[in-house]
Amino acid sequence: MCGIVGAVAQRDIVPILVEGLRRLEYRGYDSCGVAVNAGGLKRARSVSRVADLDAQVKEGRFAGHTGIAHTRWATHGAPVTVNAHPHFSRDEVGLVHNGIIENHDELRAELKAQGYAFESQTDTEVIAHLVHSMYRGNLFAAVQAAVKRLTGAYAIAVFAAKEPGVVVGARAGSPLVVGVGHGDSAGENFLASDALALVGTTDRIAFLEEGDVVEIRQGGHTIVDAAGKSAPREVRVVQAHSNAVELGPYRHYMQKEIFEQPRAVADTLEGVEGIAPSLFGAEAEAVFKAVNEVRILACGTSYYSGATAKYWLESIAQIPTQVEVASEYRYRDSVANPDALVVVISQSGETADTMAALKHAQSMGHKHTLAVCNVATSAMVRQTGLKYLTRAGVEIGVASTKAFTTQLTALFLLTLTLAKLRGRLPAEAEAAHLKALRHLPNALSSVLALEPQIIAWSEQFTRKEHALFLGRGLHYPIALEGALKLKEISYIHAEAYPAGELKHGPLALVTDEMPVVTIAPNDTLLEKLKSNMQEVRARGGQLYVFADADSHIASSEGVHVIRMPEHYGALSPILHVVPLQMLAYHTALSRGTDVDKPRNLAKSVTVE
């Protein structure tokens, strides 16, 4: 969601700003803009793609040594040019902003009373005017004063016409990093909401902490904390995997990332020689021995990975487990258990709802925390005591694929670790699970070979507007994830149910126009599932079944079957989700939607 790039250098920084926005396109956006300080503030804005913005700045001969740029995902105000960032205050202060300012109405009324005119419907323009109202020739001081008036979440980058060579940034509840130039770029400094934006420009990154305000200038930067005290932050060398943003032979990033899953799972398992608490951190053994419950907090696809893990944790480790939607958890009255392990799951590690839920849990006395995350330097990883990095690599497509399967892999390792410490994992079972994990990348490759059959199915789904997904047991969350993928990128309305719930309501929806996707592994619930399938056929429904090879479900009129290469026991959910991802992808492709950037959605959801 929303991307920020800022730069101060002796060379023209417009190409750096535009390229930074290109690298942030994967986060999702509906407008973009760039502004430079070149003898005065000058900007270009677009409600199209970054490529259109690039054409504008080239036609307008934009150039400068100081500038800011932004991709916006609309919250306050429609995605129209007047609401696009950067926002100016009296052509003297320019600002870009990620997040939501909760007290913007109060501040707007105050600023209008001071004579400020508002052009947009955004909360962001309020910040620009607020900074301007406090500006007395020192932008760094003005921003420090202004942010004290803000309630909500923000990352901002600000510059002033009267201070060429200076950009000021601040963050609270939304990520912001400082990039430090070196080598041929020594002396240059940058701001970005994501280190990926600076790939090819610098790999030396300092991560701002909550409440920090930073001034970047040619030759250096200065950081103060929320109290205004000097707060130098460590500059680290960060590898942001620039090769991951190249499509290669694939048509879309989502397709590329689906096919990267064997490699991503293998990387996530790298170094796992046996089941040991040390996989999760030096203090994990003591923590895991002390906990008597697991509480998982997550959103969206990550929530479904947690819902799958609940089945593993309770059946294999035999530890009580709750899975909570993070955006709901902090707003309800819940009973704290200081001996619970709080597990937060996020691809980016910056998901605002999940971060807020984690802090809420900690404020209630939950001291045992673990992050399952794909970004080693994220706020969530820094906030928890323990961590497991999924090593999926950069995920560009808004609809998560390889992040999900690597999260499941990490959560299965957590299950086995807790089971072993609780005396629930005999040596022969541990060896069998490790063998299955090591074979998992090869098994995933075999599933990917089903793509031609799935393409044939997608041609039938293209003409549909509704679909049902069914699963039982630990495959019910996989059905939920399959439905989510289809609705996210094809815009087909899709719902998922435990198959046993059909007769309790959803069966009323079943007609020959409502495809019913069924996950049918050869497990203990298979015979029950077959009965549910008969309920669908008796009402004229069309079944699309992903069946294990030995499940004895045959194709017939109204029953379409794709056979999975092998039954994979407890790890079956990791295999069964892959064809659901491919079905969503090829259906969306056939319908002509924007697969990697579905409407109204963003990759990294950094607002509540």
Side-chain angles (χ1 to χ4, degrees):
M1 186 172 290
C2 298
I4 288 174
V5 190
V8 177
Q10 289 184 333
R11 55 177 162 157
D12 178 21
I13 46 80
V14 173
I16 295 171
L17 297 176
V18 173
E19 181 58 27
L21 294 188
R22 280 202 185 95
R23 294 187 181 280
L24 294 177
E25 283 190 287
Y26 78 97
R27 296 166 72 99
Y29 67 104
D30 42 44
S31 63
C32 51
V34 63
V36 294
N37 188 350
L41 304 189
K42 181 179 180 180
R43 69 182 167 188
R45 298 182 289 182
S46 172
V47 291
S48 185
R49 294 301 183 197
V50 171
D52 177 72
L53 180 68
D54 189 26
Q56 281 192 51
V57 299
K58 287 175 178 173
E59 183 179 346
R61 299 182 181 277
F62 272 58
H65 303 303
T66 307
I68 56 178
H70 191 261
T71 53
R72 175 180 185 252
W73 186 82
T75 53
H76 295 74
V80 294
T81 302
V82 72
N83 290 329
H85 302 205
H87 287 287
F88 285 178
S89 180
R90 299 179 179 175
D91 291 327
E92 294 178 348
V93 169
L95 180 144
V96 293
H97 162 230
N98 293 350
I100 291 177
I101 303 305
E102 296 172 6
N103 61 334
H104 68 96
D105 282 334
E106 170 193 334
L107 293 170
R108 187 187 303 267
E110 179 182 315
L111 290 161
K112 281 184 175 179
Q114 295 179 31
Y116 285 93
F118 285 80
E119 299 177 351
S120 74
Q121 293 79 51
T122 68
D123 53 341
T124 300
E125 191 179 1
V126 169
I127 315 174
H129 291 319
L130 182 64
V131 171
H132 183 275
S133 73
M134 297 179 168
Y135 183 55
R136 303 292 184 272
N138 186 328
L139 186 64
F140 194 31
V143 172
Q144 290 178 69
V147 296
K148 289 180 174 14
R149 298 289 315 280
L150 302 179
T151 301
Y154 58 83
I156 59 174
V158 197
F159 65 170
K162 294 179 180 178
E163 290 186 69
V166 171
V167 175
V168 177
R171 66 145 298 189
S174 197
L176 194 67
V177 305
V178 177
V180 179
H182 59 100
D184 293 340
S185 302
E188 301 177 351
N189 285 279
F190 310 91
L191 291 177
S193 50
D194 188 326
L196 182 63
L198 302 178
V199 167
T201 301
T202 184
D203 59 0
R204 299 181 67 216
I205 303 295
F207 294 87
L208 297 183
E209 299 293 337
E210 193 79 354
D212 281 356
V213 181
V214 59
E215 177 188 271
I216 64 169
R217 58 193 176 276
Q218 179 67 26
H221 67 273
T222 301
I223 301 172
V224 296
D225 62 19
K229 296 180 179 179
S230 177
R233 304 301 180 195
E234 179 188 0
V235 177
R236 314 176 195 174
V237 175
V238 174
Q239 301 299 326
H241 308 289
S242 60
N243 61 327
V245 301
E246 304 301 330
L247 264 177
Y250 300 100
R251 294 184 64 177
H252 298 92
Y253 287 110
M254 183 177 179
Q255 183 187 30
K256 174 177 183 278
E257 287 153 13
I258 288 171
F259 277 82
E260 285 178 340
Q261 287 177 111
R263 189 273 309 157
V265 168
D267 287 351
T268 299
L269 291 169
E270 185 178 356
V272 178
E273 300 297 332
I275 302 304
S278 57
L279 294 170
F280 299 88
E283 299 176 359
E285 183 169 1
V287 170
F288 289 171
K289 285 180 176 179
V291 300
N292 59 14
E293 177 193 337
V294 175
R295 186 165 299 184
I296 298 173
L297 309 175
C299 300
T301 287
S302 295
Y303 172 79
Y304 295 145
S305 71
T308 305
K310 174 182 171 72
Y311 286 90
W312 288 334
L313 287 160
E314 295 200 336
S315 65
I316 298 174
Q318 297 182 30
I319 185 168
T321 302
Q322 297 184 51
V323 187
E324 302 256 12
V325 176
S327 58
E328 291 291 318
Y329 171 71
R330 67 183 292 223
Y331 294 114
R332 71 173 184 84
D333 293 329
S334 57
V335 179
N337 174 8
D339 294 323
L341 175 66
V342 174
V343 180
V344 287
I345 310 170
S346 169
Q347 188 281 136
S348 67
E350 305 287 353
T351 308
D353 287 316
T354 310
M355 269 299 293
L358 170 62
K359 291 178 180 178
H360 176 65
Q362 290 173 325
S363 73
M364 294 174 62
H366 287 284
K367 57 185 180 294
H368 305 308
T369 55
L370 164 68
V372 175
C373 183
N374 191 38
V375 181
T377 53
S378 65
M380 209 169 290
V381 168
R382 299 196 302 272
Q383 184 77 20
T384 56
L386 306 176
K387 65 181 179 182
Y388 195 94
L389 298 177
T390 53
R391 298 184 179 88
V394 175
E395 189 178 61
I396 303 295
V398 167
S400 182
T401 53
K402 62 180 180 175
F404 181 69
T405 47
T406 53
Q407 285 169 357
L408 289 176
T409 303
L411 291 166
F412 193 73
L413 287 172
L414 174 64
T415 298
L416 297 183
T417 303
L418 289 172
K420 187 173 182 178
L421 288 175
R422 294 166 66 85
R424 309 291 187 183
L425 189 69
E428 61 273 18
E430 178 181 352
H433 286 310
L434 282 170
K435 182 179 179 181
L437 281 168
R438 293 188 184 109
H439 181 62
L440 193 53
N442 290 334
L444 285 165
S445 296
S446 298
V447 174
L448 290 169
L450 298 173
E451 187 178 33
Q453 299 175 62
I454 294 168
I455 291 172
W457 277 16
S458 69
E459 293 169 358
Q460 302 301 314
F461 278 71
T462 300
R463 298 184 292 274
K464 307 299 182 183
E465 293 301 326
H466 307 276
L468 284 177
F469 286 70
L470 302 179
R472 295 202 74 141
L474 79 166
H475 291 84
Y476 166 51
I478 301 305
L480 287 164
E481 173 62 11
L484 177 62
K485 284 291 155 287
L486 189 67
K487 73 181 85 171
E488 277 182 312
I489 62 169
S490 75
Y491 314 145
I492 293 172
H493 169 243
E495 294 186 64
Y497 290 91
E501 283 294 293
L502 262 182
K503 54 188 173 292
H504 296 291
L507 199 57
L509 296 172
V510 172
T511 69
D512 61 358
E513 288 300 307
M514 173 80 82
V516 180
V517 179
T518 307
I519 304 166
N522 189 11
D523 58 18
T524 56
L525 293 172
L526 180 61
E527 294 306 316
K528 296 287 186 184
L529 182 64
K530 288 180 179 178
S531 297
N532 304 137
M533 291 166 57
Q534 289 304 315
E535 293 168 357
V536 173
R537 284 301 301 132
R539 276 76 179 177
Q542 296 286 315
L543 284 162
Y544 292 81
V545 186
F546 290 103
D548 284 345
D550 52 356
S551 60
H552 305 295
I553 298 175
S555 296
S556 60
E557 183 180 354
V559 181
H560 314 274
V561 179
I562 290 179
R563 298 202 176 281
M564 299 289 285
E566 56 186 305
H567 176 55
Y568 221 63
L571 290 169
S572 174
I574 299 176
L575 297 188
H576 269 279
V577 76
V578 174
L580 301 181
Q581 296 168 349
M582 289 195 287
L583 178 62
Y585 170 74
H586 285 290
T587 301
L589 189 65
S590 183
R591 286 167 69 95
T593 63
D594 191 340
V595 173
D596 287 332
K597 303 182 188 72
R599 67 190 183 202
N600 305 332
L601 300 180
K603 181 65 180 174
S604 181
V605 186
T606 54
V607 297
E608 288 190 61

